[in-house]
Each structure stands twice: as C-alpha cells, then as structure tokens.
Amino acid sequence: MMKIINKRHVDLLVVLLFATLIIPSIYRYCFIDGPDYFAHMRFIEGKAFGDLISLGLPHLTVHYILLNISNVFNVTLNTTFFVFTVLSILGLAIVKVLFVRYSLPNAEKYRVGFLAGITMLMGAIYFPLFNSYSYLGIWSPLAYHNPTSTWLKPVALLTIFIYFKLLDDDRKNIKQSWLLALLIFLGAVIKPNFALCFIPVLFMDMLFRKKVYQGVLIILPTLCVLLGQYLITFAADIEQKSSVVFTLAGPWSVYSNNILGAIIQNLLAPILITYTLFKIEAFSHKYKLIWSIVLVALLQGLFLAESGHRYEGMNFIWGYVVAVDILFLVSVVEFTRNIDSYSSKWKKTVVSILALHAICGLAFIVLTGVGRGPFSV
C-alpha cells in the first residue's frame, strides 16, 4: 500500500501538505477575526429563503446551503463556513495537481506536487518603499480572507483546465463543452466575478476559432445567471440600492497609495516569465488566454465600482484575485516546460523572484495564522 501511495500519489500528498499551511489562517478568519467571513455570516443568519431571493440569489445559494447544514447538524455557521472553506482549499490543491500532471506529463511526481503546492503560497512581494500598505494580499492569490472568492477558486481553475483540454481536442467534444458550460455556471452562482472576466475572453477566442455557435451555447446559461444577479442587485427596488459606476481606481486608492507598485509587486514573477517566453518564442496560445483574462479582470477592478455604501468593498476586484492565482500556476508550468531554453543567470533570477513571492506569501499566511495579520484583534 505504501509503495502505491509513494509512487502514484506522492504529488497529492505534497500539495496537501502545502495546503494545510493555510488552514490556521482560515480558522482565525472563521472564528476570531475575519471581517469578511463574519459579514457574510451575519448577512444570512436567521434569514428565510424568500428573504435571500430579494437580497441576492443566485449569488447567495452556497450561503443558504451552509445555513441549512448548520441547522440540520445543529452547529454554528462559523463551523460550516470553516469546513467548507477548508474543503475548497483542499479541492483547489487537488485540481492544481491534476492541471500540472496534464501540462507536464513527464514530470516526476514529487516535482508535480511541489509546483502545484508552491503556487498555493504565492503572494505579493512586500516592499514598503513601493507601497506602505502592508496588506497587499488583497491583490494577490492570498486573499483567503474573502470566503466566496476562496470557494470560487477550485471551480475557476477547473473551468480553465477543461477549456484547455477542449482546445487540445480538435474534434467537437460535446461532453467537455457541456461540462465547461456547467462549471462557468456554477462559478457564477458562487461568485460572478470570474465569469465576468472569463466570458469575454472565451467568446472572443471562440469567435477567432470560428466556433461562435458553440461559444454561445457554452456561455448562455451563465449569461442568464449574471442578468438575474444584476437585476436583483442593481435594478430591484430595494433599500440601499446600488449601481455600477465608472471610476479611476477610486476604491483601490482607499487601500493603496501606489496602485502601480501594488500591481508590479503582485505580478513581478509572471511578468518576467512572460518576457522570457517572448524572447524564446514560446508564448503559447493558452498563456495568452490566461493573460487576457487577468488583464480584463484588472481593468474591471480599476475602472468599475458600486455606488453608495458598497463603494469601498471593491467587489469588482475579485475576478482579478482569482485569475492571478491561475496565472501563477500557468506561469510556473510554462517556465518549467521551457527551462532548458534559458541561460543559467536568467533562470536563477526568475527562480529567485518566484521564491521571494513564496516567502512573502508564506510569511503572510503564518503571521495571519498566529494572530499577527492585518485583521488580528
């Protein structure tokens, strides 16, 4: 039995070890000092299904399910949020392994686990000189303080994984198309942000590949969800009604005195890897798609906001947060795939920057887990 585990599943064991480092932070967010988690819990506690329809279904579907699980098992909502969030993180780790296995089929198992695992810890490189605001985790894949974006991550990555498999299959694969449609739909139900940045890129890619009809069928169910969500959130006659407004990094400026610095601190390694791939002419179509999603999401986060009391919530940034997590994974995979093409000096430079991202991320996670993070009491 040990022989089978060591040889066939060592990558899963390695990535799950990385994932467990995040669990103490989730515990604090759920039980001690997690403003986002507490706000989500208070928002639904004691509410009936009819109340949630007017408050924001389908986005609140998962919240309502967790509320009912709490009632059935007679446990606190904090507990169900904690368990579901931990399962989401473990699920994200497993999907990352499957993605790396598929992308690097000849890589050793321990390397697959390490590559997938290290991207669980990637954070913004913290240099006070460039940005005095210490919590740059909000712009990076480390935004585990937000429950819905954490729940969305495994579904979003699985969506990209299935789309990549669809691209690799020249034949018309109906099953994968329907699975892709279902995943985009589920992601939008959990949190609409990733669908908002993925759908435009998906449709344009389908358009250029002359598969418009297939693209429309894939995105149509999700467009209905997004329309319903928009009508409920912004068009319904409810108290504290909000609207979508255009801004020039207005909400972001509340949290950061140097937005360009924050972006560079977050994306430095992927930018260097992209430059490298351009130089050796190995910038793949798939990598272009991921960068396109990130850039669309970044533009949404910079120029769109919600008016009124939700303005500083930066609710349009979460697609970027989720997309950057995928960008780091794909960047590491592409860098590893072409590693023999780099000079020794440049290879060490990129690896050093990736290590710096990981060290800063790990430090942030550890400090948060022991109560010295930005939300500590």
Side-chain angles (χ1 to χ4, degrees):
M1 175 65 86
M2 285 302 295
K3 222 172 180 184
I4 294 174
I5 292 175
N6 288 336
K7 287 187 176 179
R8 294 181 57 190
H9 305 298
V10 67
D11 49 3
L12 289 172
L13 292 175
V14 171
V15 76
L16 290 176
L17 285 174
F18 278 94
T20 55
L21 296 173
I22 304 166
I23 293 176
S25 300
I26 303 303
Y27 181 85
R28 289 199 68 87
Y29 292 147
C30 288
F31 292 98
I32 303 171
D33 52 9
D36 274 32
Y37 284 78
F38 295 164
H40 279 262
M41 293 177 203
R42 285 195 302 269
F43 194 62
I44 61 167
E45 219 154 14
K47 301 282 196 315
F49 184 73
D51 299 323
L52 295 180
I53 291 177
S54 62
L55 287 171
L57 283 177
H59 173 49
L60 295 176
T61 302
V62 177
H63 300 69
Y64 183 69
I65 292 171
L66 294 180
L67 178 63
N68 278 278
I69 291 173
S70 294
N71 294 335
V72 169
F73 291 96
N74 196 27
V75 295
T76 64
L77 201 51
N78 305 66
T79 302
T80 54
F81 264 61
F82 173 70
V83 172
F84 189 71
T85 307
V86 169
L87 290 176
S88 298
I89 288 171
L90 297 179
L92 174 64
I94 292 169
V95 178
K96 285 193 173 193
V97 162
L98 296 176
F99 184 91
V100 178
R101 279 183 186 177
Y102 180 78
S103 304
L104 302 171
N106 298 319
E108 300 93 334
K109 290 292 185 181
Y110 75 88
R111 188 184 296 271
V112 170
F114 177 79
L115 293 176
I118 201 69
T119 62
M120 300 287 294
L121 308 180
M122 293 291 183
I125 299 171
Y126 178 52
F127 289 130
L129 177 66
F130 295 115
N131 209 309
S132 60
Y133 187 56
S134 62
Y135 185 42
L136 287 173
I138 195 170
W139 326 125
S140 77
L142 289 183
Y144 297 115
H145 76 281
N146 183 271
T148 46
S149 63
T150 304
W151 304 342
L152 174 60
K153 282 185 175 186
V155 178
L157 179 56
L158 195 54
T159 301
I160 295 296
F161 184 25
I162 295 302
Y163 189 54
F164 279 10
K165 291 184 76 172
L166 198 60
L167 289 174
D168 290 336
D169 190 352
D170 292 331
R171 297 166 300 174
K172 190 175 180 181
N173 194 320
I174 300 297
K175 286 184 180 179
Q176 286 192 348
S177 295
W178 283 114
L179 179 56
L180 181 63
L182 176 62
L183 288 170
I184 302 171
F185 177 87
L186 288 176
V189 168
I190 296 170
K191 195 177 186 77
N193 298 73
F194 183 72
L196 287 173
C197 58
F198 178 61
I199 284 178
V201 175
L202 172 68
F203 184 76
M204 290 303 296
D205 189 49
M206 288 287 193
L207 181 63
F208 285 126
R209 292 168 55 228
K210 298 180 180 178
K211 296 189 176 182
V212 177
Y213 180 69
Q214 184 183 5
V216 169
L217 289 179
I218 288 172
I219 66 176
L220 188 58
T222 304
L223 289 178
C224 294
V225 170
L226 294 176
L227 177 61
Q229 184 70 66
Y230 177 84
L231 292 174
I232 291 171
T233 306
F234 301 113
D237 186 20
I238 58 175
E239 290 183 15
Q240 297 182 315
K241 180 180 173 182
S242 183
S243 61
V244 179
V245 296
F246 289 93
T247 179
L248 183 57
W252 200 331
S253 300
V254 174
Y255 301 97
S256 177
N257 65 323
N258 186 345
I259 294 169
L260 179 61
I263 293 170
I264 293 173
Q265 286 170 259
N266 185 19
L267 295 178
L268 184 56
I271 289 170
L272 291 178
I273 291 170
T274 302
Y275 169 76
T276 306
L277 295 173
F278 263 123
K279 224 175 160 188
I280 64 174
E281 298 182 354
F283 195 57
S284 67
H285 177 66
K286 292 177 181 177
Y287 200 39
K288 289 177 187 175
L289 289 176
I290 299 302
W291 263 112
S292 299
I293 295 168
V294 169
L295 292 176
V296 169
L298 180 58
L299 291 173
Q300 290 174 357
L302 283 171
F303 297 115
L304 295 178
E306 294 179 65
S307 63
H309 71 290
R310 297 161 67 98
Y311 184 76
E312 293 184 8
M314 283 199 71
N315 285 325
F316 281 96
I317 197 64
W318 298 113
Y320 172 72
V321 168
V322 174
V324 167
D325 193 4
I326 298 171
L327 176 66
F328 265 96
L329 179 64
V330 180
S331 297
V332 168
V333 166
E334 292 297 313
F335 178 74
T336 305
R337 190 202 312 278
N338 298 282
I339 200 161
D340 293 334
S341 303
Y342 317 137
S343 67
S344 177
K345 190 175 180 181
W346 185 250
K347 192 188 305 182
K348 289 176 182 176
T349 300
V350 174
V351 169
S352 298
I353 298 299
L354 281 169
L356 193 54
H357 276 287
I359 290 167
C360 290
L362 179 60
F364 178 83
I365 288 171
V366 171
L367 289 173
T368 304
V370 298
R372 294 180 59 191
F375 299 130
S376 56
V377 293

